Amino acid sequence: MVAVTRLRDFTRTRRTRRTEALRSLVRETRLDPSMFIYPLFITHGTNVRTEISSMPGQYQISVDQLAREAAELRELGVRAVLLFGLPASKDPEGSEGYASDGIVQQAIRELKRVDPDLVVVADICLCEYTDHGHCGLLTATGEVDNDPSLDLLARMALSTVEAGADIVAPSDMMDGRVGAIRDTLDDAGYTSTPIMAYSAKYASAFYGPFREAADSTPQFGDRRGYQMDPANALEALREVDADVEEDADIVMVKPALPYLDVIRAVRERTDLPLAAYNVSGEYAMVKAAVQNGWLDERRVVLETLTGIARAGASIIITYHAKDAARWLRESASPRGGA
Ligand code: PBG
């Protein structure tokens, strides 16, 4: 009798961890392929499928490859893609970014042709298209010039929506771009097209592999004059507030892993859907360790994505999307799963 009382002196949290069925019953965070957005890098030419050396398993692909890509994503239950373009040529104004026959516009038309239900998100930024590699226009002294850049970003957004994009996602970090894009889309009659704003986008070293993938390295200087200082979290909330004020439909924190606290803070700030971008450098780190035999890829990736979701993201942009979707399906089937 005395022993029973003593046994109850501590909390037995292990009771609900005993079997996979119990663990699954009390699980607080669930991943589903429908919450993933898969980034694609589109390049000119035909039959192109060039692996990105710093992002093993990711490719620059030509438009003719998209039917196969869309079929694979549909099969896996991944229902959204984010498009980046590699233009045929670059100039100071990034003009292929807003050309009606630009590479991304061609890709959007092809994706909507082969799979009209796929959610096609167009990344809106000039850095892949400008010869200087910055995200906006430059002044004579080489500063990124905010207000004149808004017009070009809005033109780019409109041209991708005209091509069929379902969502536009400005990643340039110019002030006022969400409002400028909203006004331009509304004036053209596209009042129903959502904007996913890269609201808290940090000046991060984790974009390194992406800049190889999208050939968008700034030719001088860096992006610290427009992207956020990694030390700031309160400022992220001001960025989110400004984008909400300008009528953003989805807000984003980017990168994900070094900014889980920011994801949580933004989750508590707004009721809008919240996306997190698990960026190229985060992917590259995992791949490098896996290739060395140092980490178990499946477990590390699912744990990482779960952590991002647990922090508060309901949408995750990730290069792991296809693999994760496959693993989630395997563990859902009665025989599969570790
Ligand atoms: C364009 C853009 C970048 C990324 C997404 N959109 C690069 C940058 O800002 O330099 C990074 C994505 C990734 O690293 O996976 N501005």
Side-chain angles (χ1 to χ4, degrees):
M1 296 275 195
V2 173
V4 170
T5 313
R6 286 193 41 223
L7 277 173
R8 296 198 56 201
D9 276 351
F10 50 86
T11 306
R12 291 193 182 272
T13 47
R14 289 182 54 189
R15 285 182 190 126
T16 47
R17 292 180 200 145
R18 278 181 40 245
T19 66
E20 178 50 28
L22 281 167
R23 291 190 291 273
S24 157
L25 189 68
V26 300
R27 191 156 292 142
E28 298 172 33
T29 309
R30 290 177 209 276
L31 294 175
D32 187 272
S34 63
M35 71 199 287
F36 299 148
I37 301 181
Y38 184 60
L40 290 172
F41 300 97
I42 318 296
T43 191
H44 285 273
T46 47
N47 236 346
V48 184
R49 204 169 175 85
T50 309
E51 191 166 27
I52 299 153
S53 63
S54 53
M55 300 175 73
Q58 306 302 314
Y59 300 82
Q60 296 171 340
I61 58 175
S62 50
V63 171
D64 57 287
Q65 303 292 304
L66 288 170
R68 161 181 161 190
E69 202 66 47
E72 191 185 356
L73 291 166
R74 174 180 272 274
E75 219 270 307
L76 291 167
V78 177
R79 302 307 298 139
V81 292
L82 174 62
L83 300 186
F84 298 99
L86 291 113
S89 64
K90 304 188 186 224
D91 57 38
E93 290 85 34
S95 48
E96 193 178 319
Y98 40 91
S100 58
D101 61 347
I103 189 65
V104 156
Q105 290 78 1
Q106 291 179 35
I108 295 166
R109 281 189 213 100
E110 173 67 1
L111 284 169
K112 296 312 287 186
R113 186 183 72 80
V114 298
D115 187 352
D117 298 333
L118 183 71
V119 177
V120 176
V121 187
D123 186 271
I124 305 301
C125 189
L126 296 179
C127 67
E128 296 120 77
Y129 304 94
T130 51
D131 52 12
H132 46 74
H134 279 288
C135 300
L137 290 171
L138 299 183
T139 63
T141 55
E143 263 198 74
V144 177
D145 203 357
N146 196 85
D147 297 16
S149 302
L150 298 181
D151 185 43
L152 297 186
L153 292 161
R155 275 171 69 181
M156 181 173 179
L158 179 59
S159 76
T160 61
V161 173
E162 283 171 343
D166 297 290
I167 299 180
V168 290
S171 69
D172 51 281
M173 289 301 277
M174 297 302 115
D175 291 323
R177 86 268 207 226
V178 172
I181 290 171
R182 185 73 273 156
D183 288 344
T184 299
L185 294 182
D186 287 353
D187 287 347
Y190 296 107
T191 53
S192 305
T193 302
I195 298 175
M196 175 166 76
Y198 284 72
S199 301
K201 176 172 176 178
Y202 288 87
S204 172
F206 287 91
Y207 306 151
F210 173 94
R211 293 184 185 167
E212 178 203 335
D215 186 25
S216 66
T217 309
Q219 295 307 300
F220 65 91
D222 55 42
R223 303 211 201 292
R224 284 184 284 189
Y226 41 107
Q227 298 180 349
M228 282 185 59
D229 183 335
N232 294 355
L234 295 173
E235 191 185 336
L237 301 179
R238 282 171 46 217
E239 286 282 4
V240 167
D241 289 349
D243 288 351
V244 170
E245 180 67 27
E246 292 172 39
D247 210 7
D249 300 276
I250 301 171
V251 292
M252 194 200 298
V253 174
K254 173 189 178 184
L257 288 186
Y259 301 94
L260 293 175
D261 59 321
V262 179
I263 295 175
R264 169 51 47 190
V266 172
R267 179 65 296 159
E268 284 163 13
R269 183 75 155 207
T270 168
D271 295 332
L272 287 180
L274 171 57
Y277 200 142
N278 177 219
V279 301
S280 57
E282 299 174 52
Y283 176 86
M285 286 196 302
V286 170
K287 283 291 184 180
V290 167
Q291 285 182 345
N292 275 295
W294 295 338
L295 290 175
D296 175 333
E297 183 172 23
R298 173 185 171 138
R299 292 188 55 202
V300 163
V301 168
L302 293 178
E303 182 177 336
T304 298
L305 298 176
T306 299
I308 296 169
R310 193 194 60 241
S314 54
I315 299 169
I316 304 176
I317 304 168
T318 179
Y319 304 97
H320 298 292
K322 287 185 191 174
D323 289 334
R326 204 172 290 118
W327 293 324
L328 288 171
R329 186 166 60 192
E330 282 166 18
S331 45
S333 73
R335 294 174 143 271

